[in-house]
Amino acid sequence: MISIVLSSVIPLIASSIIWRSKSSRDELEDGNKAYRNLANELNEVTSKSEIVINAIGDGVIAIDSQGIIRLINPAAQQIIGWGKQDALSLNYKSVLKLIDKKNEALDVASDPIQQVLNNNQQIRTNDQTIITSSDKKIMISLVVSPAGETGSGVIAVFHDITKEKTEEREQAEFISTASHEMRTPVASIEGYLGLALNAQTAQIDDRARDFILKAHASAEHLGRLFQDLLDISKADDGHLSNNPQMINIVTFTHDIVQGLEEKATNKGLRLIFKPMPDNTAGRFVAPAYSVNLDNDHIREIINNLVENAIKYTPKGEVIVDITGDDDRVVVSVKDNGIGIPAEDIPHLFQKFYRVDNENTRQIGGTGLGLYLSRRLAEIMGGRIWVESVYKSGSTFYLELPRLSPQDANMIASQKELVAQEKANQEQKVSTEPVKSILNKPPIVEEPANNVPRGQALTPEQIAVYVKKQRELAQQQNATSANNTNNRPPSVSVPTRNPQK
Ligand code: ADP
């Protein structure tokens, strides 16, 4: 019985073994085939991606989690002057030598590659400088992207922008020089036209007054354009002055708003300052928001925003408000004017950008105010943005870093100390012998360029300024043998005027 069973089972087992071993062989063969196919496919993909990476005009470098270079394409080799075999397996810092303004290697906090390795967030920069293998400094535009999970590596893509940057700098220098040179004669024209319009200095008939008013407005516009260009070129090349002074932004803004009230009223608009003084107590309802920033910059921005709100609101109201928390203060300027189409909003803070539609075509402007405002806000560590509904109105926001009450107190007491020191010094000087005063250098008049931006000059002030300049010129004429009496004095009048 057993033999019968065995005789029937053994062949079965055997056939099963034979079958199994055959099937394992098949499987193995199938597996090998699949492996070969996969390897081929991978090879194909690798060579395809290699072809693509090699064909890219931008430099591409792949860096692993340890900062070791695993891939470098020909464009990268050409830009930085390193051969593939030399660069592979080296730490990226030896090959992609990023340096700061002092020509020193970037520290961990400012090294974009290290930052992406740490944070896994893509970084794009346009102002990195690297040193090539031949010690040449070039500027690059760089995009560093994470290659997977945090710390698993990064891909750096870059290209040489030295030429563009040089051209940009030359263009900015030209604009700066040209606007500086042209601003002075325009200021002179503006000043003389102001004199012609002033009843105390000239008599003209109504027709002439009308012509001169138009010429004066155009000269003013031109002067403002040159001043804006000058400020922008300074901001762009980092030469804009920054003189922080502690102020309460609520009272500061209130003063600016008061200065623009006439303009709003002339247009039939209501200009409302929301943190209104409590008339009974004579105090501001809003808390004192102290900031320690350049007052001229703040004045320029708030002036721009309120003037724009007035300019782009045919009827209704403009509301200025101030809010904030422990760290920041936000000035908002809200209008119910023409509003801004959604597609224009992303471009609004770019240089020379003006919305072009039926509502704006008749309204003059330079398209520089918001760009300059954004640059100034950034310089002060703040930001500016807008919310708007086309044909309903806009609200512009200026956010600035707020000073903590403790810091504000400290600065206030330091200021007091300095003032005390100064008063003591002055007292000492006034008791010194007259001779020492005579030995002091003469007081040099502040040049027109230094007149704070955003400050209004009345025709009377212009007249006084022109008169002073004329007297100075006459004194110079009298002493100079080369001068003829017919030559008009060179008048340099500050052009900045908030009448936009
Ligand atoms: P501009 O000299 O043209 O006013 P700005 O840079 O100040 O230059 O403003 C840029 C553009 O933004 C303006 O031309 C205008 O189209 C739009 N704009 C600015 N402020 C407002 C506003 N409050 N309401 C509607 N549009 C505005």
Side-chain angles (χ1 to χ4, degrees), residues 144-163:
V144 188
S145 314
E149 283 169 10
T150 308
S152 55
V154 301
I155 311 280
V157 180
F158 55 95
H159 65 267
D160 186 350
I161 51 165
T162 315
K163 194 163 165 261

Side-chain angles (χ1 to χ4, degrees), residues 308 311-312 335 340 348 353-355 365-367 369-370 394 396:
N308 272 350
K311 190 161 85 169
Y312 296 106
D335 65 60
I340 301 158
L348 217 58
Y353 194 84
R354 302 202 71 219
V355 177
T366 61
L370 288 181
S394 318
F396 282 80

Side-chain angles (χ1 to χ4, degrees), residues 263-302:
K263 199 169 194 186
T265 318
N266 286 346
K267 214 181 155 187
L269 299 174
R270 284 203 314 145
L271 179 55
I272 301 161
F273 184 64
K274 218 163 168 201
M276 275 298 286
D278 175 353
N279 282 336
T280 46
R283 283 210 213 108
F284 281 97
V285 176
Y289 287 113
S290 300
V291 295
N292 190 29
L293 301 164
D294 191 306
N295 296 190
D296 288 344
H297 294 351
I298 303 177
R299 184 184 295 111
E300 171 87 30
I301 301 173
I302 298 176

Side-chain angles (χ1 to χ4, degrees), residues 81-97:
W82 276 77
K84 184 174 175 180
Q85 294 317 320
D86 298 327
L88 286 179
S89 305
L90 280 186
N91 187 289
Y92 76 90
K93 285 186 184 160
S94 331
V95 178
L96 200 65
K97 292 182 189 157

Side-chain angles (χ1 to χ4, degrees), residues 180-194:
H180 191 266
E181 292 303 316
M182 289 191 262
R183 186 176 164 274
T184 313
V186 168
S188 173
I189 296 170
E190 201 185 320
Y192 279 119
L193 292 175

